[in-house]
Amino acid sequence: ILLSIMMVGMGNLITLNVCIIASVNLLLPSHFLRLRSRLNKIEDLALQNRAFHIQNIDSDFLVTSASVKTLNDGLSAYAEKHWVFENDMQLSSRKFKNSTREIQLKEGLSIGGENKNTLLIGGPCSVESEAQIRSASELLQGLNLSVLRGGCYKPRTSPYSFQGMGLAGLELLSKMRDEFGHLIISEVRDATHVAEIIAHTDIIQIGAKAMYDQGILRACAKTQKPVMIKRGFGTTLQEFAQAAEFILSGGNSNVILCERGIRTFETKTRFTLDLCGVAWLQENTNLPIILDPSHAMGYAYGVASLTKACMAMSVEGLIIETHPDPSTAKSDAAQQLNFEEFRALHSELEPLAKCLGRNIK
Ligand code: PEP
Ligand code: MN
């Protein structure tokens, strides 16, 4: 059998070829041994070249440091293909993988790849009570939407503000998933509770202030659950893509980027939604994108029209804060849509999606 082994490099993306002759008679034990020795060889090369080893179903990649621009003899003997990169945006780049990554959220629901799905994620900023989160679940169910949001560990700017319900909130979200069947997204604030978030969510949200926390990034690299990284409000596009590389190079290929507004000189709106940056990410990275107009705008009045502008960019998802009674919300009260506004937004998005050839999920 010819097994192809791919090596990815920072500076170089390399593919290795190993020839293995297997007899049909020698099935399990020797087959296993041969796979093991193949793997050992790749692990050796990874170690010698200080490279990350990424295993795919039919190929292996080694990612070397960005400073490596040519293959040494050890690598070139095995490399099937290699890519040379100018900087540390490698696995996330279109140069490595030209099409947008397909991320399966559950059986029958994926984003990216060939499909034209756009998630309309809805739910409150924070989970506040069972009645509150259940009402959001009912809203989504009525609109046939797939993903419920709700923060349980809130990264507040003041220690005196509501900090979130913590584990009790995550348990409520899990209960809603069991009852309503939708997927759950909730944010991790710091590395102390990352295991809890991984266990309770279907999509892990890394908050804008948490995206530099390498404890979180490295923990999220060790699961296969999809991870949505929110762009920090002072984060360059290069730094944003490199945060994704921490997760991709650690072995989790299911990374989604979320633009949620950056800080500029403008103070009339909460942040400035960087749609130019989104166009750059679409051109240069292979990662699906979710847009968050709620946090960018900061005021409910602008959210519906911004969401339509985001939809027009054919992104893979939109995340909108909605609350049964926004004026009483314990966090981000000014920007949350009430349910009537959310339903109206959904009905305005439907024809737009149709015109763009996209499906709202
Ligand atoms: C949120 O989604 O409620 C949130 C806190 O977002 P961000 O991390 O973008 O500020
Ligand atoms: Mn919020």
Side-chain angles (χ1 to χ4, degrees), residues 27 32 40-41 87 121 124 133 137 145 166 172 185 204 214 224 238 248 270 273 275 291 295 308 325:
L27 211 57
F32 175 71
N40 287 348
K41 179 68 203 163
N87 56 47
I121 303 171
I133 198 66
S137 285
L145 298 177
L172 286 178
I185 180 167
I204 302 152
Q214 302 208 344
Q224 288 306 305
Q238 176 76 30
L248 298 169
R270 190 178 184 193
L273 190 62
L275 295 186
L291 274 163
H295 288 85
K308 287 179 273 181
D325 181 8

Side-chain angles (χ1 to χ4, degrees), residues 124-126 149-151 153-156 187-188 205-211 228 230-233 258-261 270-271 292 294-296 319 321 331-332 335:
C125 178
S126 301
R149 66 149 288 148
Y153 289 95
K154 300 305 298 180
R156 304 309 297 280
E187 76 200 82
V188 49
Q205 172 176 333
I206 302 181
K209 293 171 193 151
M211 62 148 277
M228 181 185 83
K230 297 188 91 174
R231 182 182 180 187
F233 50 70
C258 176
E259 160 62 27
R260 45 74 76 207
R270 190 178 184 193
F271 294 99
D292 174 352
S294 298
H295 288 85
I319 184 165
E321 287 190 342
S331 57
D332 289 347
Q335 71 197 30

